Amino acid sequence: MEPTGDHDWIKGCTLPDHTELQERTLKTDQDIVIGERCRIDYGLLGNDVVVCEFSKINGNIVASGDARIDNWCEINGDVVVEEDAYLGEGVKIQGKLVVRGDLDIGDNVQIERGFEAKGWISIRNPMPVIIYIVMYLVAVLGIEKEEELSSVLEKLFGDDETAPTATPLMIPGGAVLNMQTFSVPEKMAVGSGCRLHGNIRAGSIAVREETTIFGSLHAREGASVARGTTVHGDVQSEGDVTIEQEAHILGNVSCKRLTLHEDARVDGVIRAPGGMKIERRTA
């Protein structure tokens, strides 16, 4: 079975609650799913870690569960997996591979500093990661029919407060994460209690409560900053922006229309040619 189409179901980006983008590592307690043809200048630390084909990770991968790395990916660091590992054809690991469980390995895999596997080693081409992710999401998100996947992911990637709380960290295909910029093509949903370094660029951005971002937000279609969140930079959008109670923007705000809670704080200049609405405290 081969995957077909453009994998529209992994268009959005979601960062679960308490995600940390540290100096060299993107860290979460949840699973991590990286779309195809991404370039990430950080290591990855999570539960299960899945990397789709032709992606490049400039750092270590540490998985407390399984790791699946698809065809022709390049990992410029070590890969440490506490359970099972699956490496597709042409994967290149510049560091060492350590697998506590079983290892499935495809053709033409290069591991520069050797590998250690405690369990069985099978030399074969594993299941394509795209197919695995569909099966994974159907199981983890409690979907009974694959046809329901797109509607569930729309809720997952949107700003719907009823989105599942134990969702994976998902980076869409074509995303770029480097030391200055976190750039994704469409929607981005940031959970509560996160701590991120870098300027975020996306089609739309929804940041939930009590998150700290050391950088600016740039959204084409619109942005929302939830209660108690701090942005150490500007908020810019061609669409509408909402800044909720006790949020703090240390830079400027530039957008079409602005909804600003009276208990929010903006240190810089506000530009909203379409108008500004001040929200009052609720009784």
Side-chain angles (χ1 to χ4, degrees):
M1 181 178 180
E2 293 294 331
T4 58
D6 293 328
H7 318 313
D8 288 345
W9 46 268
I10 189 170
K11 281 186 175 181
C13 174
T14 181
L15 304 184
D17 294 351
H18 309 297
T19 296
E20 294 186 14
L21 183 53
Q22 301 171 338
E23 184 178 357
R24 293 288 178 182
T25 304
L26 182 59
K27 177 182 177 182
T28 179
D29 293 331
Q30 306 297 331
D31 298 342
I32 297 176
V33 179
I34 305 296
E36 60 189 11
R37 301 181 188 277
C38 289
R39 181 187 173 94
I40 300 180
D41 290 342
Y42 295 91
L44 305 174
L45 192 157
N47 184 31
D48 288 357
V49 177
V50 178
V51 182
C52 292
E53 61 185 2
F54 295 106
S55 287
K56 185 174 184 179
I57 311 296
N58 289 320
N60 300 326
I61 292 178
V62 179
S64 60
D66 295 344
R68 289 179 176 265
I69 302 175
D70 206 1
N71 300 338
W72 310 109
C73 288
E74 183 174 347
I75 313 300
N76 288 328
D78 297 333
V79 177
V80 180
V81 185
E82 291 299 322
E83 296 184 8
D84 299 336
Y86 307 79
L87 306 182
E89 181 180 0
V91 167
K92 186 173 183 179
I93 299 174
Q94 297 282 5
K96 185 176 182 180
L97 172 66
V98 178
V99 182
R100 312 295 184 198
D102 299 338
L103 171 62
D104 276 17
I105 190 167
D107 297 331
N108 302 314
V109 171
Q110 300 179 47
I111 304 171
E112 296 294 328
R113 295 178 54 199
F115 71 92
E116 174 186 339
K118 301 292 187 182
W120 292 95
I121 300 174
S122 299
I123 301 175
R124 59 183 178 180
N125 284 326
M127 177 193 303
V129 166
I130 287 292
I131 297 173
Y132 166 79
I133 294 174
V134 174
M135 295 170 61
Y136 161 84
L137 290 172
V138 167
V140 170
L141 301 180
I143 303 169
E144 295 182 358
K145 299 179 181 178
E146 288 191 20
E147 296 76 39
E148 301 173 15
L149 186 59
S150 59
S151 63
V152 171
L153 288 171
E154 179 67 25
K155 179 184 292 185
L156 176 66
F157 294 132
D159 54 6
D160 191 331
E161 293 183 357
T162 63
T165 57
T167 54
L169 187 157
M170 297 189 74
I171 306 294
V176 176
L177 280 70
N178 57 39
M179 298 304 168
Q180 290 77 41
T181 304
F182 191 139
S183 178
V184 300
E186 296 194 27
K187 292 183 178 180
M188 182 169 184
V190 180
S192 62
C194 296
R195 188 176 179 88
L196 308 177
H197 292 257
N199 300 312
I200 296 175
R201 298 180 180 274
S204 63
I205 303 171
V207 185
R208 291 183 176 149
E209 297 82 5
E210 304 294 340
T211 282
T212 301
I213 298 174
F214 294 94
S216 297
L217 305 182
H218 300 264
R220 294 188 306 276
E221 299 170 9
S224 62
V225 179
R227 179 172 183 159
T229 283
T230 301
V231 178
H232 291 260
D234 299 335
V235 176
Q236 299 179 4
S237 176
E238 298 173 16
D240 298 344
V241 168
T242 299
I243 301 174
E244 297 182 7
Q245 187 174 3
E246 297 173 5
H248 184 187
I249 312 300
L250 276 72
N252 302 323
V253 175
S254 177
C255 59
K256 185 177 180 180
R257 287 182 295 266
L258 174 63
T259 300
L260 179 68
H261 195 279
E262 66 175 346
D263 290 335
R265 176 179 170 184
V266 177
D267 290 355
V269 176
I270 295 175
R271 297 181 180 88
M276 183 173 69
K277 175 185 175 183
I278 301 296
E279 285 193 337
R280 306 295 180 186
R281 296 187 192 93
T282 56

